[in-house]
Amino acid sequence: AQKITQTQPGMFVQEKEAVTLDCTYDTSDPSYGLFWYKQPSSGEMIFLIYQGSYDQQNATEGRYSLNFQKARKSANLVISASQLGDSAMYFCAMRRGSNYKLTFGKGTLLTVNP
Amino acid sequence: DTAVSQTPKYLVTQMGNDKSIKCEQNLGHDTMYWYKQDSKKFLKIMFSYNNKELIINETVPNRFSPKSPDKAHLNLHINSLELGDSAVYFCASSQVPASATQYFGPGTRLTVL
């Protein structure tokens, strides 16, 4: 069975500082993908970043980077230079190689303080 | 240009009624999904269609029936609505490869009274 764990129900960060949101996963499948989504208070789900299990380098997308530690089965999201608009719920999700579905963690509510 | 659209955005109805939620994507994707987000924000897959064929059917009451008239549309019909069906329902779509990102619609907030 595949499982995603986000241990931080809530996080606070000062504007312009960096923040790391934790995500650990559990799968026995060697081929998998890890995704992060952002859900602001308006409710939509916004894709942020993707990391494949065979990717050699950590994924980066603008201010978002993924700290992928395969041996530890962790895929933490790093947001640099936080902005007020980053305040939202963040979900980590996993998709196994041949399986279409995304399995989500419970999410982390990030609040950026001015 | 809306990539994945859902209608309606809000749906308020009485217990026992039948309702439908429509989803359309203009991304040319082959695979579409329905997810349910409960009151604690937990997201769980319900169904997935690939080229109009059902490929994922999670443990969902058979009061829920997805229908895909073509690969750009995936509708969700719910019979005999119950209080516990109140949730936000998200439609999503993606290409076939495992690395393909799933793009979500805006969600439909269903409230059963």
Side-chain angles (χ1 to χ4, degrees):
Chain A
Q2 50 185 352
K3 187 178 173 182
I4 295 282
T5 303
Q6 294 180 253
T7 57
Q8 307 150 314
M11 287 282 286
F12 293 88
V13 66
Q14 286 297 121
E15 198 177 3
K16 299 179 186 174
E17 292 186 351
V19 63
T20 297
L21 306 183
D22 295 342
C23 173
T24 58
Y25 60 92
D26 185 20
T27 181
S28 55
D29 198 316
S31 175
Y32 52 89
L34 296 155
F35 300 79
W36 278 91
Y37 285 84
K38 171 184 177 182
Q39 187 176 39
S41 58
S42 50
E44 69 269 31
M45 293 287 290
I46 302 167
F47 165 71
L48 295 178
I49 196 165
Y50 165 80
Q51 180 84 43
S53 59
Y54 295 120
D55 292 346
Q56 296 296 314
Q57 295 191 329
N58 287 346
T60 60
E61 288 285 349
R63 294 187 300 112
Y64 304 109
S65 59
L66 204 152
N67 184 0
F68 181 46
Q69 298 189 42
K70 196 169 180 177
R72 297 181 61 186
K73 294 190 174 180
S74 74
N76 299 339
L77 177 70
V78 181
I79 306 175
S80 63
S82 296
Q83 301 172 357
L84 295 178
D86 293 335
S87 293
M89 185 74 94
Y90 288 81
F91 292 96
C92 180
M94 178 170 65
R95 183 182 182 186
R96 287 185 305 161
S98 60
N99 194 316
Y100 290 90
K101 71 178 183 182
L102 283 177
T103 299
F104 283 85
K106 292 185 177 181
T108 296
L109 182 61
L110 176 67
T111 303
V112 181
N113 294 318
Chain B
D1 292 345
T2 305
V4 183
S5 60
Q6 293 179 230
T7 53
K9 188 162 174 62
Y10 300 96
L11 189 50
V12 181
T13 188
Q14 298 287 331
M15 234 173 21
N17 284 350
D18 303 339
K19 289 294 178 186
S20 292
I21 306 171
K22 295 186 176 182
C23 178
E24 176 181 2
Q25 55 96 2
N26 62 7
L27 297 167
H29 289 164
D30 296 316
T31 310
M32 296 184 72
Y33 313 80
W34 279 110
Y35 288 85
K36 178 181 180 180
Q37 186 174 44
D38 63 23
S39 58
K40 295 184 179 178
K41 299 286 190 179
F42 185 63
L43 272 151
K44 191 168 166 33
I45 184 81
M46 299 174 70
F47 302 104
S48 178
Y49 271 75
N50 183 45
N51 274 325
K52 303 194 296 174
E53 182 184 342
L54 182 65
I55 54 171
I56 294 175
N57 185 352
E58 292 288 291
T59 311
V60 176
N62 56 17
R63 297 182 295 103
F64 291 79
S65 53
K67 284 197 171 47
S68 181
D70 55 61
K71 74 173 193 178
H73 295 85
L74 179 61
N75 304 324
L76 183 65
H77 189 76
I78 316 169
N79 289 327
S80 304
L81 278 154
E82 300 177 358
L83 294 176
D85 297 332
S86 295
V88 179
Y89 292 85
F90 284 98
C91 177
S93 74
S94 75
Q95 292 287 22
V96 170
S99 59
T101 298
Q102 291 185 20
Y103 292 94
F104 283 73
T108 295
R109 181 174 292 279
L110 172 65
T111 303
V112 183
L113 304 175

